[in-house]
Amino acid sequence: MSLHTLNYPSHLLSKSNKPKRMHKTTMNVTPVPERGNKPTSTNNFGLNLASMSSKNSIKGSLLYQPNTVGIIGGVSPDVTLDFVKKLINTSKECKQDENGLPFVLCSDPIMNKVNDDTQVVEILRRKRVFLERSGARYIVMPCNLLHSWYEEVSKGCSVPMLHMGECVVNELKEAKLKPLEAGSPLRIGVLATDSGGFYRDKLQKEGFEVILPDKATMEHAIIPSIEAISRKDIEGAQNLLRIALQVLLVRAVNIIILASDDVRTLLPHDDPLLKKCVDPFDSLARSTVKLAQSAIKCSQ
């Protein structure tokens, strides 16, 4: 499970599962009509919504292939583009299509400036509805940060919306890992800048023991690593991240989930430590392609 090198600074998450954004702006957000309800305007999102009121209607959609993917971009365009590349490459590797899957991408950097949970959910739901009406048959949200609001955003969605945490956990279950120590449970490390959030909950539900960075590792390795990224000290950030990973591995951890958008692509792809790590974007891309392949078979 490899990582591609793409160094970029993002921002620190707060200690809660609902992260802070850097700035607060005032936005006028109009209610989002669910698919099947009469829209308030036939010109919303630049589409003729009157022709798309039915869940199964494709007339007027931008794309209508049964394997069209809708992508809600994360707070960083670099992160979003990294996932798009993974999705295309995974599609080619699985012989889905030499040109990759058809997809609709909705990306808006204003998400990095909103500091209100209600506004975040409204904006994300507007993007989700836009993708549904554009012809997306599946929706993904390649961003650890935005998954804090997954439940609210996915509610009422007329097409499957993949959860990145579930994709990772399902692959770990299928891998049938064996404990590193006889008689011990399977231990999965979660390298995150918060409490481990949805990864911790979903892993524990499936019987995995979750190991999170201790306070010393967080204060002296992980947070300083992210701060080094902000200073453009990539080598220093990489060395600190390596320390954090090694500390987790010493605790008899089978595999480590890189659950932070800040460090997910920090190490070079040939770093030996990455052999013990999972990039959630890889799992999300593989799960998306697998679902798309099933849709193509059903439509034939």
Side-chain angles (χ1 to χ4, degrees), residues 45-63:
F45 311 116
L47 299 173
N48 182 3
L49 303 186
S51 65
M52 290 179 267
S53 60
S54 171
K55 174 179 177 180
N56 297 319
S57 174
I58 60 174
K59 183 179 178 181
S61 298
L62 296 176
L63 296 176

Side-chain angles (χ1 to χ4, degrees), residues 58 62-63 135-136 140 143 154 165 172 177 194 199 244 275 289 295-296:
I58 60 174
L62 296 176
L63 296 176
V140 297
C143 180
S154 63
L172 290 176
L177 301 171
D194 60 358
Y199 288 106
K275 293 180 180 180
V289 170
I296 288 294

Side-chain angles (χ1 to χ4, degrees), residues 66-181:
N67 59 345
T68 298
V69 181
I71 304 172
I72 298 178
V75 295
S76 165
D78 289 335
V79 173
T80 302
L81 291 177
D82 181 44
F83 174 75
V84 171
K85 291 178 182 178
K86 287 181 180 293
L87 183 64
I88 293 173
N89 291 335
T90 302
S91 176
K92 292 179 180 179
E93 291 169 2
C94 296
K95 298 181 180 180
Q96 174 77 19
D97 191 309
E98 62 179 10
N99 295 315
L101 290 170
F103 67 87
V104 182
L105 170 61
C106 186
S107 180
D108 185 357
I110 198 171
M111 292 301 300
N112 206 26
K113 299 180 180 181
V114 181
N115 195 30
D116 178 82
D117 284 359
T118 301
Q119 288 184 344
V120 170
V121 171
E122 289 288 350
I123 293 171
L124 292 176
R125 289 185 69 247
R126 286 174 65 89
K127 292 181 179 181
R128 188 210 83 199
V129 173
F130 165 78
L131 293 173
E132 290 176 85
R133 290 169 175 164
S134 295
R137 301 301 181 87
Y138 320 96
I139 295 177
V140 297
M141 191 161 56
C143 180
N144 284 288
L145 186 68
L146 298 186
H147 266 72
S148 299
W149 298 277
Y150 172 88
E151 298 299 331
E152 296 97 320
V153 176
S154 63
K155 184 178 181 180
C157 189
S158 64
V159 298
M161 185 169 176
L162 280 69
H163 189 292
M164 192 157 58
E166 291 179 354
C167 294
V168 173
V169 174
N170 287 337
E171 287 197 339
L172 290 176
K173 288 167 56 181
E174 294 173 0
K176 296 181 179 180
L177 301 171
K178 296 181 179 180
L180 297 181
E181 296 178 346

Side-chain angles (χ1 to χ4, degrees), residues 26-52:
T26 300
M27 300 182 62
N28 296 319
V29 182
T30 58
V32 181
E34 295 293 339
R35 178 176 291 193
N37 295 339
K38 184 177 180 180
T40 56
S41 170
T42 57
N43 294 318
N44 281 351
F45 311 116
L47 299 173
N48 182 3
L49 303 186
S51 65
M52 290 179 267

